[in-house]
Amino acid sequence: MRKTTFRLLLFFLFLINFSQNSFAQKKTLSQSEIINLLKDARTNRITGDYEKSLLKSRVALEHSIKNKSNDLIANSYLVIASNFDELTEPLKALHYYNLGLYYVKKTNNNTLKNQYYNNLGNIYCFDKRQYDKGIYYYKKSLEHSQKVLDRKQIFLTKLNITWAYFDIEKFKEGFPYLEYINKYQSIDGGESTIVALNMLNGMYYSSINNIKKATDSFEKAIVFGTVGNEKSDLSFTYLEYSKFLNKINQPQKAYNSLISYYKITNELNIEEKLVKANVIGVNLEIDHYKREIDKIETNYKLKQHKLIEEQSKNKKIAIIVLFLLICIIIFFYFFVQNIRLKQKNRLKDIQSRIQENIINASINGQELERKKIASFLHDNISSLLSSAGLHLNVYTSINKAQPQEINKTKEILEEAHNQIRNLSHELMPTLLVRFGLLYALEDLCEKTSNSKINIAFNSNIAIKKRYNEDFEMKLYFIIAELLNNIIKHSDANSANIMINEIENILSIDVSDDGKGFIDNKLETNEGFGINQIRARINNMKGEFSINSVLNRGTSISLIIPIAY
Amino acid sequence: MTQNIRIHLADDHQLIIHGIQTLLNTISNFEVVGFSLNGKTIFEDVKKNNADILVLDISMPEKDGIEVVKEFAEKGFPCKVIILSSYDDLKLIKEIMDLGVSGYLTKQSAGNNIIEAVYAVANGEEYFCESIREKIFSNATKNNPKLNTYKPNINPLLTEREIEIIILIALEYSGKEISEQLFISTNTVETHRKNIMKKLKAKNTIGIVKYAMNNHLIIS
């Protein structure tokens, strides 16, 4: 019975413990709670309660990280580091300052930055004796304290810089800072700085060999230090004073001063040891503490890493999606452009077809009229004229007289008849109507040939072969126009027309050895014009191509399906 | 001439037929025995009225003059044919002459030449009106540098046609070439040559050439 109650008790204890644990893990402190916690930690540090301060600041750090507040993380690290500073563990302090520095840099908190850099400067100058690095940090600190116009901090930092320069005997570089702190000691300084200030003055005068002023300054520093019980600064003053006395050849006094330095330093060491002894427990835990903090960080970083990985994965997906989207947009754009182009082309096509139709209709009309007029002239007018002539002849032969007026009238009638015949022939060549295309073309070539140009005619077709009348007429006038162009524009010496029939196709080649032309610069305003010829041939479902070489000649080739 | 020359006219224009008929009737021994207004019935018409000469137009509806002549060539010429057309294209004329036609007149020259033509053809000669003859001759001698275009005074006994033949002989055209060039038969060429020799009192062809050169009909 007692055993079971004990077990139950254990179980309950375990439960409570577990729930507390899980509760502690789950619950995250709010920012204001963290701020309060850090405030407590700072108070603990100032009162020398380093152990409590460190524990509180560690909790604050953990929750700050969970809160992702750079400001609070940096603050937490600052409290931790400054605890170690106080515990004269400068290396550990430096470690945490460096960790915190990463977060400080991400904030806009100038006060915080100023504190970090100032403390880092202190460590490098006083503990590590790396003055260059120290001065670098002091100057950075100065930048930020100037931004927030923290005059006291500016004053302190400048004092530190002066001291650092003087320690490495760069008096020239340090002098401007010394001037500043001399000027503002009464306003921004206080009892804690007056000792160091006078010591620095002493060091400066010593460097420029102003023995009286140097002695004065050192003596003043010693008085202030002794009165104000500023043991640390006083010890340094004795050390520097001793160096000075040695320099001006007063070994006895120098020795006394050095004794005073050792004495005070000794006292300070004892105090430090006491402090360290007080926190010896903390010291034992320090390594464990460090591990804990590192664990917090690594856990956080692990999570962060995962998060970043996920983010980059998401980024990749987003990029791929974006890329696809752009591809689709581009594709769509081209698709639309293509459609638009096609539409444009179709429109152009239709327009050119309409134009061609107009041209063809007008030429068809012309040809029809031509035929009509020609046959009317030939059949009717010409007959009427000859009939009139005949009757005049009858008159003269009956009357056996040749009156001048009658003869004149006969001549006029004859001339009219000639002109009518020529016009009719021009409108519709007799040979074309009577004997067909090839016959008429051969005749055309012969008649057009003259001393300037010789036009040859070649064909594999029987000379009197007939095709559809319209077909013959269209081709005849096309070829006549091409010849006309050659005669008018080409300056050719010879031209050649070749017509061959190949399986229901007429292949016509009209070439000359003239001056040729550059493409698109055809004479289009003359007569039929190339455009009209093209329209005509398209209408006959044929093909038309021009090949011209400048100063070598032109060859025009027609391929036309035969209409019988 | 005691026997009348029987003439048949074929033209699709009544006016022309009337005009020619009136003109031919002014000659007493010419007799217009009939006329046709299209080509279809000509062969029968001519056979029926036994005409000596047919004056034929080329462009006629339904059956044109060329087809009529083709029909004659196939079936045998029932009479001699003089073409009276407004066409004056040499190729066309040659095509028709080759089919066996005896004379060719343009409509412009009809008034002046038709009577002459009928006489000539009735005499068995080949006849071309002057404008066509000139055309034929200039085509035959085209591009021949030796031809003298200047025509000096020459033997008035010679006809225009005979002068042309003298020139062609002097330009070294053979009898056959002359017949081809002038669209006349070789027999006609031969007849012309004999007549020329008689008129010039030449013994042979060389005499004709000498005459041509002496009279500057060609450039030697």
Side-chain angles (χ1 to χ4, degrees), chain A residues 135-300:
Chain A
I135 290 167
Y136 164 76
Y137 281 122
Y138 279 140
K139 284 186 176 168
K140 282 212 118 173
S141 162
L142 198 56
E143 259 174 50
H144 294 292
S145 48
Q146 273 165 348
K147 268 183 197 160
V148 291
L149 288 171
D150 186 345
R151 295 184 57 101
K152 281 215 164 123
Q153 190 57 50
I154 293 168
F155 182 83
L156 271 177
T157 309
K158 287 203 172 186
L159 185 110
N160 281 336
I161 292 171
T162 318
W163 199 334
Y165 275 128
F166 285 7
D167 261 354
I168 52 173
E169 302 193 335
K170 288 186 170 175
F171 293 103
K172 229 183 208 165
E173 282 88 342
F175 183 63
Y177 295 99
L178 182 67
E179 275 192 312
Y180 178 88
I181 50 179
N182 271 324
K183 196 172 171 188
Y184 292 106
Q185 164 62 30
S186 53
I187 305 163
D188 301 324
E191 284 178 9
S192 58
T193 58
I194 195 141
V195 186
L197 177 65
N198 279 305
M199 176 195 75
L200 290 171
N201 278 330
M203 284 165 89
Y204 176 71
Y205 289 127
S206 156
S207 80
I208 57 168
N209 294 321
N210 191 332
I211 296 166
K212 193 180 172 287
K213 277 198 172 172
T215 315
D216 258 19
S217 299
F218 280 124
E219 301 265 287
K220 245 189 218 169
I222 289 166
V223 171
F224 280 125
T226 315
V227 171
N229 199 25
E230 291 285 335
K231 280 185 182 167
S232 170
D233 289 353
L234 188 60
S235 75
F236 287 120
T237 309
Y238 275 125
L239 182 62
E240 294 299 329
Y241 191 39
S242 145
K243 281 185 197 164
F244 167 70
L245 291 170
N246 215 21
K247 187 180 159 197
I248 57 167
N249 245 344
Q250 293 195 2
Q252 188 53 48
K253 270 190 175 179
Y255 178 74
N256 286 342
S257 191
L258 203 61
I259 292 292
S260 300
Y261 165 71
Y262 282 127
K263 201 180 137 204
I264 296 167
T265 311
N266 208 22
E267 279 174 32
L268 279 171
N269 278 344
I270 290 165
E271 274 174 32
E272 221 166 71
K273 269 179 195 161
L274 271 172
V275 172
K276 277 193 177 171
N278 278 342
V279 292
I280 197 137
V282 181
N283 258 334
L284 286 173
E285 266 185 33
I286 276 173
D287 286 331
H288 176 67
Y289 180 80
K290 208 177 152 192
R291 275 199 297 278
E292 287 282 305
I293 284 181
D294 286 350
K295 214 164 89 190
I296 291 167
E297 275 250 276
T298 41
N299 276 346
Y300 176 73

Side-chain angles (χ1 to χ4, degrees), chain A residues 372-539:
Chain A
K372 242 190 201 165
I373 294 169
S375 74
F376 183 78
L377 287 176
H378 182 267
D379 295 345
N380 298 346
I381 306 297
S382 157
S383 292
L384 287 173
L385 289 174
S386 38
S387 176
L390 284 170
H391 283 286
L392 281 178
N393 267 320
V394 172
Y395 174 83
T396 52
S397 97
I398 287 172
N399 293 304
K400 306 278 179 208
Q402 300 275 333
Q404 215 179 355
E405 290 311 307
I406 297 287
N407 284 341
K408 197 93 194 171
T409 313
K410 270 203 223 166
E411 272 172 36
I412 291 169
L413 273 176
E414 213 161 293
E415 181 58 31
H417 205 160
N418 276 335
Q419 286 188 11
I420 293 275
R421 196 202 53 227
N422 288 344
L423 177 62
S424 149
H425 188 270
E426 205 176 288
L427 288 172
M428 193 55 57
T430 322
L431 294 177
L432 178 63
V433 179
R434 294 287 159 196
F435 302 116
L437 177 67
L438 299 154
Y439 203 99
L441 283 176
E442 189 184 43
D443 184 62
L444 181 69
C445 291
E446 276 172 30
K447 287 205 178 117
T448 334
S449 293
N450 53 34
S451 55
K452 281 183 192 157
I453 183 166
N454 178 50
I455 301 167
F457 179 83
N458 296 302
S459 174
N460 73 346
I461 312 168
I463 194 78
K464 284 189 189 167
K465 174 150 192 184
R466 297 307 299 263
Y467 303 101
N468 173 287
E469 200 182 322
D470 263 5
F471 177 77
E472 285 186 333
M473 195 163 68
K474 281 175 186 166
L475 273 186
Y476 179 86
F477 285 115
I478 287 170
I479 294 167
E481 184 59 30
L482 292 175
L483 267 189
N484 199 25
N485 283 342
I486 289 174
I487 289 159
K488 270 191 186 158
H489 308 294
S490 75
D491 290 341
N493 292 318
S494 73
N496 185 27
I497 296 180
M498 193 148 78
I499 303 185
N500 291 317
E501 186 179 323
I502 311 151
E503 289 173 4
N504 282 336
I505 276 172
L506 272 193
S507 152
I508 302 168
D509 199 76
V510 180
S511 54
D512 66 69
D513 65 349
K515 61 184 179 187
F517 51 79
I518 300 163
D519 234 8
N520 302 326
K521 284 202 169 176
L522 295 169
E523 300 280 345
T524 47
N525 47 351
E526 300 277 349
F528 235 48
I530 294 293
N531 277 343
Q532 294 193 32
I533 291 174
R534 205 187 288 278
R536 212 80 188 110
I537 287 160
N538 283 346
N539 187 240

